[in-house]
């Protein structure tokens, strides 16, 4: 431990701490900065985080300085403030004043730094600014505005150090220096939208989110990406019942500060045109809308022979389905469904968020042939909750034959088209639930937007079915359901699922909390 | 608590003449007749405006129906920054932004609708506008219609409101 005095406060830090982090702790807020990023190497190019260290003749940048025993540092005196203001003025010399157009406005580092540390009168005429290319498409997800760039090189370091793809670079010198793509390349890696997140200004913006919504109108809900078994922590940004984007949420145990582009696009399914929009019953050949009471009457008359869940359902739903199927056979669906190519960063080959949950709730997965065989073995109605076995298990519909096929799902697919009964359910962003990721970490998805008017919340519907089937003490309400779940699943026995920390819990190891948000 | 006698609002008991009300009746008639004679002799000073043949002129600061300013080529000056709709306390401005083919302009309003029935004419939109694209200086205050849809005005309508109050 070394003793450092920052702004008159004497504090101790472990050796090797950067002065930047030490100052953040001492001040309670970060020093002004653009180029520093906790997950990237130190570049020291923006010069904004300069502090005065006694004994040094000139100001020094905190990000590239380590703490030393007996250091006396000043971060708030007039000399430091003037330096930050002047450096900021230099950054803004050629920065266009097009905040009304810029998508970053509202979450822009430059706006924040100017309001906190700048507030000078500009001496540069708007017409004297150096103009560069605007709105250049540099990849499938990212658009580049070279004028707005402050050359902090975060995106360049991200592509070099995190993805290792090295598409980006800084070209030319002086006030003609600009960020760009290496000749013949495009920013097409699966993590390209992280460069948009870390860009402190509006130079890199998302093509998907571009001009859709001003950021200050968005509301955020902490949730989990349903895109693969990694279970990246995300922030769902939504407004008026519509999701506009997913952003990574810091969890050092799972995804750090990153998430992949495939995961970010999963929100599109929520507002898909294929969403099922009402309960339907097959009458004379065709599926026709049916009232809820008629639907429940129909279900009450059927003896269910097989319950099939899916690795995309939440842990609560899987456990409820397993409980419902205790008098019948159960299955966790087809094990090959939702497989894709993974990579060694975040994207997992298993594109379903909760396959571990199936194991925990004792729902066995089958390969297509054995699922079809299981269907043949059973008699009575077949309930499919999520997934699309008609597509993934060839011969499934033939095996069901003339028996009732009850589909509880969200989107129209081959199974819903062949079903006798279709019950519209909620997608991950419309319900509360738990996902268990590939490492056995239990994380909560939270309701961000309202579900379609006619859809039901999955676990409520299953609890109702269970009560109707004669269970007297079916859990009522989410807290009771989670207590019931913790008792039922051995891995969760000691956990309070109603008080999960923001970063989730991994029952196998010691509970590891997530750090703060960057 | 004992009931206290309330004071007479005009200060005490009325006299005999006051109780007849006649002096006040004649005084009121006198004022009315004085004005009738004055107005008949000085018709130009009468405050009455012969609406709708005549319109009262308001100060230039009067906030009338909105208009959207045009660039030289007739396209809207608005860059769809949503400042006005953010500032709007009545939530009556609905903008859908689009990508402009010219990268120097970059962003423009694909639709710009104002619900005049919701609008409270507070002027916060024109104050918030960083591009001087929306103004309320048309002086138009006669906003009438027979259906709700007529009050839901579009970008094209707003672009053709002139400051002198005429519509093109």
């Amino acid at each position: 431990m070394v003793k450092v005095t920052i702004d008159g406060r004497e504090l101790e830090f472990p050796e090797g701490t950067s002065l930047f982090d030490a100052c953040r702790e001492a001040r309670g807020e970060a020093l002004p900065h653009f180029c520093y990023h906790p997950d990237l190497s130190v570049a020291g190019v923006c010069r904004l985080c300069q502090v005065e260290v006694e004994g040094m003749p000139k100001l020094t940048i905190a990000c590239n300085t380590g703490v030393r025993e007996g250091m006396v540092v000043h971060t708030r005196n007039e000399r430091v403030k003037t330096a930050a203001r002047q450096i900021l003025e230099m950054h803004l010399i050629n920065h266009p004043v097009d905040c009304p157009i810029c998508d970053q406005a509202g979450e822009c580092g430059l706006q924040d730094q100017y309001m906190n540390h700048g507030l000078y009168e500009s001496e540069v005429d708007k017409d004297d600014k150096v103009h560069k290319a605007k709105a250049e498409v540099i990849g499938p997800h990212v658009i580049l505005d070279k004028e707005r760039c402050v050359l902090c090189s975060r995106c360049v370091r991200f592509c070099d150090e995190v993805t290792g793809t090295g598409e980006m670079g800084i070209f030319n010198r002086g006030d003609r220096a600009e960020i760009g793509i290496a000749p013949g390349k495009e920013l097409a890696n699966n993590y390209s939208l992280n460069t948009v997140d870390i860009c402190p200004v509006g130079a890199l913006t998302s093509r998907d989110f571009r001009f859709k919504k001003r950021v200050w109108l968005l509301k955020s809900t902490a949730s989990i990406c349903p895109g693969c078994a990694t279970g990246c922590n995300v922030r769902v940004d939504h407004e008026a019942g519509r999701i506009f984007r997913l952003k990574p949420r810091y969890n050092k145990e799972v995804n750090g500060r990153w998430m992949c582009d495939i995961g970010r696009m999963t929100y599109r399914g929520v507002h898909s045109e294929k969403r099922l929009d009402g309960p339907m019953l097959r009458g004379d050949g065709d599926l026709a809308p049916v009232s809820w009471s008629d639907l429940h009457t129909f279900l009450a008359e059927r003896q269910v022979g097989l319950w099939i869940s899916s690795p995309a359902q939440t842990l609560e739903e899987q456990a409820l389905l397993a409980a419902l199927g205790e008098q019948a056979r159960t299955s966790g669906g087809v094990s090959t469904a939702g497989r894709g190519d993974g990579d060694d960063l975040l994207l997992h080959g298993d594109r379903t968020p909760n396959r571990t949950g199936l194991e925990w709730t004792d729902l066995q997965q089958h390969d297509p042939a054995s699922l079809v065989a299981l269907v043949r073995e059973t008699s009575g109605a077949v309930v499919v909750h999520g997934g699309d076995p008609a597509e993934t298990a060839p011969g499934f519909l033939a095996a069901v034959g003339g028996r009732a096929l009850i589909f509880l799902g969200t989107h129209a697919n081959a199974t819903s088209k062949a079903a006798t009964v279709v019950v519209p359910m909620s997608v991950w962003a419309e319900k509360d639930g738990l996902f268990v990721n590939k490492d056995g970490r239990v994380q909560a998805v939270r309701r961000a937007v309202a579900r379609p008017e006619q859809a039901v919340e999955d676990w409520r519907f299953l609890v109702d079915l269970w009560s109707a089937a004669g269970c007297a003490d079916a859990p009522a309400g989410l807290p009771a359901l989670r207590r019931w779940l913790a008792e039922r699943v051995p891995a969760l026995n000691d956990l309070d699922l109603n008080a999960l920390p923001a970063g989730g819990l991994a029952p196998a190891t010691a509970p590891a909390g997530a750090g703060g948000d960057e | 608590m004992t009931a206290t006698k309330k004071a007479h609002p005009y200060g005490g008991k009325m006299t005999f003449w006051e109780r007849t009300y006649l002096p006040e009746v004649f005084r009121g008639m006198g004022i009315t007749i004085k004005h009738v004679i004055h107005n008949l002799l000085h018709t130009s000073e009468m405050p009455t405006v012969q609406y709708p043949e005549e319109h009262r002129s308001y100060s230039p600061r009067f906030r009338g129906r909105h208009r959207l300013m045009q660039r030289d080529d007739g396209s809207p000056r608005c860059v769809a920054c949503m400042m006005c709709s953010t500032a709007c306390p009545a939530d009556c401005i609905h903008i859908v932004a689009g990508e402009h083919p010219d990268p120097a302009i970059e962003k423009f309003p694909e639709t710009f609708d104002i619900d005049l029935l919701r609008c409270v004419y507070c002027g916060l939109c024109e104050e918030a506008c960083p591009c001087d694209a929306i103004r309320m200086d048309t002086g138009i205050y006669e906003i009438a219609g027979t259906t709700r849809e007529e009050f839901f005005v579009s970008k094209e309508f707003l672009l053709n409101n002139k400051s002198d109050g005429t519509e093109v």
Side-chain angles (χ1 to χ4, degrees):
Chain A
M1 295 300 254
V2 290
K3 265 193 192 146
V4 184
T5 309
I6 298 170
D7 292 337
R9 281 180 68 196
E10 197 172 274
L11 294 160
E12 282 196 351
F13 298 98
E15 217 150 325
T17 308
S18 91
L19 187 53
F20 189 93
D21 293 335
C23 288
R24 189 207 294 264
E25 203 178 315
R27 289 156 52 95
E29 58 168 355
L31 293 163
H33 66 287
F34 286 135
C35 70
Y36 174 82
H37 191 279
D39 288 347
L40 299 174
S41 64
V42 171
V45 291
C46 78
R47 318 304 293 181
L48 263 177
C49 63
Q50 293 187 70
V51 291
E52 186 178 333
V53 179
E54 281 185 12
M56 285 194 181
K58 290 204 257 181
L59 299 184
T60 183
I61 53 170
C63 64
N64 204 23
T65 311
V67 290
R68 217 172 352 92
E69 181 62 40
M71 232 178 189
V72 181
V73 185
H74 301 282
T75 72
R76 291 187 197 272
N77 66 16
E78 215 39 54
R79 200 172 158 212
V80 172
K81 280 184 186 164
T82 310
R85 189 163 59 242
Q86 288 176 344
I87 297 286
L88 199 61
E89 188 167 6
M90 197 197 73
H91 278 301
L92 278 156
I93 284 179
N94 287 320
H95 191 88
V97 196
D98 60 355
C99 300
I101 300 167
C102 181
D103 250 0
Q104 190 84 3
E107 52 182 9
C108 172
L110 209 42
Q111 286 182 337
D112 294 345
Q113 310 286 8
Y114 179 80
M115 294 313 287
N116 293 336
H117 311 287
L119 292 176
Y120 54 84
E121 290 286 325
S122 176
E123 289 169 30
V124 186
D125 194 275
K126 201 168 111 254
D127 300 325
D128 293 339
K129 290 181 187 267
V130 176
H131 291 290
K132 293 173 192 161
K134 291 188 85 75
E136 213 178 280
V137 174
I138 59 167
H141 295 299
V142 184
I143 204 159
L144 167 66
D145 188 309
K146 290 179 174 172
E147 270 184 3
R148 293 184 193 142
C149 178
V150 291
L151 299 169
C152 73
S153 81
R154 274 182 177 188
C155 53
V156 179
R157 282 176 284 149
F158 177 83
C159 291
D160 287 349
E161 296 164 15
V162 180
T163 61
T165 43
E167 296 99 336
M168 305 194 74
I170 294 175
F171 301 89
N172 296 334
R173 291 195 293 176
D175 63 6
R176 271 167 286 176
E178 59 184 36
I179 218 93
I181 290 289
K185 281 198 170 182
E186 61 171 350
L187 187 61
N189 68 59
N190 187 31
Y191 295 88
S192 61
L193 279 172
N194 289 304
T195 61
V196 173
D197 290 347
I198 57 178
C199 183
V201 293
L204 296 168
T205 47
S206 160
R207 289 176 75 184
D208 179 59
F209 180 67
R210 191 171 161 83
F211 301 164
K212 294 267 166 51
K213 197 74 189 166
R214 296 321 302 247
V215 296
W216 55 81
L217 301 171
L218 294 170
K219 293 167 193 70
S220 296
T221 305
S223 193
I224 301 299
C225 172
C228 79
T230 305
C232 291
N233 290 214
V234 299
R235 207 180 79 200
V236 181
D237 283 352
H238 54 94
E239 202 248 352
R242 212 176 164 78
I243 299 177
F244 286 90
R245 64 179 181 184
L246 301 188
K247 285 266 185 189
R249 185 161 55 87
Y250 177 59
N251 185 342
K252 70 173 189 294
E253 306 294 329
V254 183
N255 56 314
R257 290 179 172 84
W258 318 125
M259 78 180 283
C260 76
D261 294 355
I262 293 175
R264 284 176 204 257
M265 296 305 146
T266 50
Y267 81 89
R268 287 177 173 173
V270 175
H271 307 297
S272 155
E273 282 170 9
K274 287 174 130 184
R275 282 299 294 276
L276 298 169
D277 55 359
M280 288 195 286
L281 183 66
R282 192 171 296 278
D284 312 322
D286 278 336
L287 279 170
V290 66
S291 73
W292 283 105
S293 58
D294 288 355
L295 183 114
H296 281 288
T297 313
F298 178 90
L299 293 177
E301 288 166 1
R302 291 295 174 285
Q303 186 67 41
V304 179
L306 176 63
W307 299 83
I308 304 174
S309 188
S310 118
Q313 302 306 321
T314 67
L315 192 60
E316 291 93 331
E317 293 155 18
Q318 291 169 348
L320 277 169
L321 193 117
L324 271 164
E326 260 155 22
Q327 309 299 321
R329 302 290 292 274
T330 55
S331 164
V334 185
S335 62
T336 51
R339 297 278 180 185
D341 291 330
D343 60 26
D344 51 6
L345 203 51
L346 289 176
L347 185 64
H348 195 269
D350 180 3
R351 297 290 164 73
T352 54
N354 197 22
R355 204 177 288 278
T356 316
L358 291 174
E359 291 165 22
W360 286 13
T361 48
D362 293 328
L363 291 169
Q364 275 170 5
Q365 295 180 79
H366 297 83
D367 58 31
S370 72
L371 182 73
V372 171
L374 181 65
V375 175
R376 283 190 205 284
E377 278 170 30
T378 57
S379 58
V382 177
V383 177
V384 176
H385 185 205
D388 190 7
E391 177 77 29
T392 48
F396 174 81
L397 292 178
V400 174
R403 294 143 65 189
L405 176 60
I406 298 159
F407 182 66
L408 321 176
T410 53
H411 292 72
N413 57 23
T415 313
S416 78
K417 286 193 183 88
T420 324
V421 180
V422 172
V423 187
M425 296 302 207
S426 310
V427 297
W428 60 279
E430 295 160 0
K431 61 188 175 190
D432 290 292
L434 301 172
F435 283 157
V436 188
N437 80 351
K438 61 178 169 46
D439 302 322
R441 173 171 287 267
V442 187
Q443 306 186 104
V445 283
R446 288 186 187 84
R447 175 155 63 176
V449 292
R451 56 182 171 272
E453 211 171 312
Q454 287 274 32
V456 290
E457 203 163 9
D458 303 45
W459 66 264
R460 277 187 208 279
F461 187 77
L462 294 175
V463 165
D464 288 349
L465 281 187
W466 201 17
S467 307
C471 175
D473 54 350
L478 197 63
L481 178 66
R482 293 213 166 135
R483 283 194 294 276
W484 168 82
L485 178 71
E487 274 170 37
R488 184 184 170 88
V489 178
L492 300 173
N493 282 167
D494 302 330
L495 298 185
D496 182 3
L497 296 178
N498 289 309
L500 278 182
L505 275 179
T509 59
D517 208 4
E518 167 62 21
Chain B
M1 208 177 127
T2 53
T4 49
K5 199 184 168 194
K6 258 192 176 175
H8 189 275
Y10 303 113
K13 265 185 157 184
M14 291 204 286
T15 60
F16 171 76
W17 281 111
E18 276 173 348
R19 269 182 286 149
T20 65
Y21 293 101
L22 286 174
E24 292 303 309
V25 168
F26 287 117
R27 208 154 70 111
M29 286 293 282
I31 290 170
T32 308
I33 290 163
K34 193 177 84 187
H35 280 289
V36 169
I37 292 167
H38 179 89
N39 285 342
L40 285 174
L41 296 177
H42 308 88
T43 43
S44 61
E45 286 173 22
M46 262 162 68
T48 316
V49 174
Q50 295 302 316
Y51 185 86
E53 286 80 17
E54 257 179 59
H55 280 75
R56 184 168 203 151
S57 61
Y58 285 98
S59 94
R61 290 172 50 179
F62 173 77
R63 294 189 292 270
R65 190 168 66 201
H66 326 64
R67 65 170 172 144
L68 281 177
M69 304 296 290
Q70 303 177 352
R71 293 172 200 261
D72 291 342
D73 63 356
S75 63
R77 210 187 264 180
C78 170
V79 294
C81 70
M82 319 273 172
M83 287 293 167
C84 52
S85 59
T86 303
C88 181
D91 200 12
C92 73
I93 306 178
H94 307 279
I95 308 169
V96 176
E99 181 93 42
H100 199 276
D102 179 1
I105 296 176
E106 211 176 336
K107 196 178 177 189
F108 82 108
E110 262 169 14
T111 65
F112 191 114
D113 300 327
I114 296 181
D115 187 346
L116 294 174
L117 283 180
R118 291 201 68 152
C119 178
V120 294
Y121 297 89
C122 64
L124 286 181
C125 53
E126 54 175 354
E127 246 178 86
C129 184
C131 303
D132 189 20
I134 188 167
R135 288 191 191 168
M136 296 178 78
D137 61 356
T138 57
I140 300 171
Y141 51 86
E142 296 155 307
I143 300 159
T146 49
T147 59
R148 280 170 187 270
E149 288 72 30
E150 283 172 56
F151 293 96
F152 207 75
V153 294
S154 68
K155 176 176 83 172
E156 289 70 27
F157 179 92
L158 291 163
L159 275 170
N160 291 326
N161 266 336
K162 296 287 185 220
S163 61
D164 58 4
T166 58
E167 286 168 42
V168 184

